[in-house]
């Protein structure tokens, strides 16, 4: 198996809904890629050794470049592989706007239903891990109390989707699958990881069910042999840093080359000490200063982390 600096490596796990969003787009573009399967919860020693502490899935690795956040990963795939565009109809802005709904209200209504109805297998270790990640208790009782509203919210979201397909279109914006389909579909993939009770609600939305089957039929592109975390580390270590397309900073009063702290928005990821290489009001790129990973470029949107000046 040949791995090189152009190999697409998706750090994921199979039932990760946010990884599913990326896998669907890999299918839309018919790209070749390797999965590097990571644990569903901490510890993730090889992954955090690569990222400098970041623990959230998915991550796209291409050589010594790391991309965090599912939709940001999709944007990078589009930039590198513009054929079979997944933004050809609506552009990127509409997909980002819809993702604020699907990543939050839509997804968490499903999470509440799955856990409050005991429709998903988990244990105390999982509850502890997600409580650490959120910075608050992953409270089953609170989810039970929220169940009626969660079901109402889910039905509202499903009705919005059902209405969109009422004119006979195959996908959300017409007869071609786009990134916006992956962004709206991934929460419904999470239902498929449950025991089945949550699927009952879907039966009331036949047009949505047919759309789900069309999305599933797209597949995941060409998934090559899975690789280990150590193999992914070896790829990063061997790869040369690729010059950035832009080395400008037009974000607040930050400047190129200054030392910064990357403060992630989850509760238990340590701040990353790094040098700022590029930034605008959508995303930024840093080079970590830790000796073990200082040969990497780490790219992410501001939606998952805040930049701070290092003292």
């Amino acid at each position: 198996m040949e791995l090189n600096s152009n190999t697409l490596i998706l750090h994921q796990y199979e039932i990760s809904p946010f990884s599913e969003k990326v896998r669907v787009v890999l299918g839309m573009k018919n790209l070749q890629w390797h999965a590097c399967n990571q644990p569903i919860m901490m510890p993730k020693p090889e992954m955090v050794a690569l990222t400098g502490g970041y623990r959230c899935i998915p991550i796209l690795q291409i050589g010594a470049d790391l991309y965090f956040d599912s939709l940001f990963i999709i944007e990078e795939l589009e930039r590198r592989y513009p054929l079979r565009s997944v933004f050809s109809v609506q552009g990127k802005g509409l997909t980002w706007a819809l993702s604020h709904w699907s990543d939050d209200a839509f997804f968490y209504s499903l999470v509440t239903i799955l856990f409050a109805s005991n429709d998903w297998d988990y244990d105390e270790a999982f509850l502890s891990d997600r409580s650490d990640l959120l910075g608050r208790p992953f409270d089953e009782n609170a989810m039970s109390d929220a169940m009626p509203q969660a079901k109402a919210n889910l039905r509202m979201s499903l009705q919005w989707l059902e209405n969109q397909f009422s004119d006979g279109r195959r996908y959300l914006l017409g007869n071609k699958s786009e990134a916006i389909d992956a962004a709206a579909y991934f929460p419904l993939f999470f239902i498929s990881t449950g025991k089945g009770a949550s699927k009952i609600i879907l039966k009331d939305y036949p047009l949505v069910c047919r759309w789900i089957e069309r999305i599933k039929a797209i597949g995941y592109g060409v998934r090559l042999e899975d690789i280990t975390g150590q193999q992914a580390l070896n790829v990063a270590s061997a790869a040369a840093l690729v010059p950035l397309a832009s080395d400008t900073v037009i974000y607040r009063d930050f400047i190129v080359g200054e030392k910064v702290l990357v403060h992630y928005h989850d509760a238990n990821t340590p701040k990353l000490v790094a040098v700022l290489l590029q930034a605008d009001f959508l995303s930024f790129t840093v080079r970590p200063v830790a000796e073990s990973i200082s040969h990497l470029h780490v790219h992410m949107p501001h939606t998952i982390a805040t930049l701070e000046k290092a003292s």
Side-chain angles (χ1 to χ4, degrees):
M1 176 172 52
E2 181 180 352
L3 300 172
N4 56 52
S5 60
N6 294 314
T7 300
L8 297 180
I9 300 171
L10 185 67
H11 296 260
Q12 58 131 53
Y13 53 86
E14 299 301 334
I15 63 172
S16 162
F18 289 90
S19 297
E20 178 72 0
K21 187 193 305 185
V22 177
R23 292 189 295 249
V24 167
V25 170
L26 288 165
M28 290 176 182
K29 288 183 166 292
N30 197 32
L31 295 175
Q32 295 187 354
W33 59 285
H34 294 270
C36 181
N37 292 308
Q38 300 290 349
I40 192 172
M41 54 189 173
M42 296 290 270
K44 305 180 181 184
E46 292 167 326
M47 180 172 144
V48 298
L50 178 68
T51 65
Y54 185 71
R55 57 157 290 173
C56 295
I57 291 295
I59 294 168
L60 177 67
Q61 177 186 348
I62 307 175
D65 286 276
L66 302 179
Y67 300 88
F68 299 168
D69 181 81
S70 55
L71 190 53
F72 191 65
I73 288 169
I74 291 169
E75 279 202 78
E76 182 60 21
L77 292 173
E78 177 78 359
R79 188 186 73 81
R80 289 176 180 254
Y81 305 97
L83 295 178
R84 301 178 184 236
S85 174
V86 294
F87 294 104
S88 61
V89 175
Q90 84 287 356
K92 298 174 185 176
L94 184 59
T95 304
W96 275 103
L98 177 134
S99 289
H100 281 288
W101 158 72
S102 61
D103 288 5
D104 191 1
F106 191 22
F107 177 64
Y108 283 103
S109 66
L110 283 166
V111 170
T112 298
I113 293 166
L114 281 168
F115 283 88
S117 62
N118 196 30
D119 199 28
W120 205 76
D121 286 323
Y122 59 92
D123 55 20
E124 288 301 319
F126 179 86
L127 293 179
S128 177
D129 178 82
R130 291 310 191 259
S131 295
D132 289 343
L133 178 65
L134 295 171
R136 64 181 186 275
F138 196 81
D139 192 334
E140 301 163 272
N141 293 327
M143 286 185 176
S144 294
D145 292 342
M147 172 80 98
Q149 187 60 51
K151 284 186 175 180
N153 289 343
L154 175 60
R155 286 191 174 276
M156 179 173 63
S157 294
L158 288 171
Q159 191 61 57
W160 286 342
L161 293 173
E162 188 80 1
N163 291 346
Q164 188 72 358
F165 297 117
S166 62
D167 62 357
R169 67 183 65 200
R170 293 175 57 79
Y171 299 99
L172 285 176
L173 297 179
N175 291 319
K176 177 182 178 297
S177 61
E178 300 261 330
I180 199 168
D181 290 282
Y185 157 76
F186 88 91
L188 299 174
F189 163 80
F190 199 44
I191 286 183
S192 71
T193 68
K195 300 175 187 176
S198 304
K199 296 179 184 178
I200 295 172
I201 296 173
L202 278 176
K203 293 181 179 179
D204 293 334
Y205 305 92
L207 300 181
V208 172
C209 290
R210 291 172 202 156
W211 169 68
I212 289 172
E213 292 307 311
R214 286 192 288 272
I215 297 294
K216 289 179 179 178
I218 291 169
Y220 297 150
V222 183
R223 180 169 173 171
L224 303 172
E225 182 180 348
D226 291 357
I227 68 170
T228 66
Q230 186 58 55
Q231 286 174 300
L233 285 168
N234 293 343
V235 168
S237 298
L241 284 172
V242 178
L244 299 175
S246 169
D247 60 356
T248 59
V249 172
I250 50 172
Y251 180 70
R252 293 166 45 192
D253 59 345
F254 289 90
I255 60 174
V256 173
E258 74 175 309
K259 196 173 182 181
V260 296
L261 300 175
V262 179
H263 184 190
Y264 296 104
H265 295 164
D266 59 78
N268 69 337
T269 298
K271 293 181 181 181
L272 179 68
V273 183
V275 174
L276 183 63
L277 302 179
Q278 178 277 330
D280 56 28
F281 283 91
L282 297 176
S283 64
F284 60 90
T285 298
V286 297
R287 187 183 72 247
V289 299
E291 184 176 346
S292 60
I293 55 172
S294 61
H295 58 287
L296 298 176
H297 285 166
V298 181
H299 315 262
M300 70 192 81
H302 292 289
T303 53
I304 68 167
T306 300
L307 275 179
E308 303 174 3
K309 288 181 178 286
S311 56

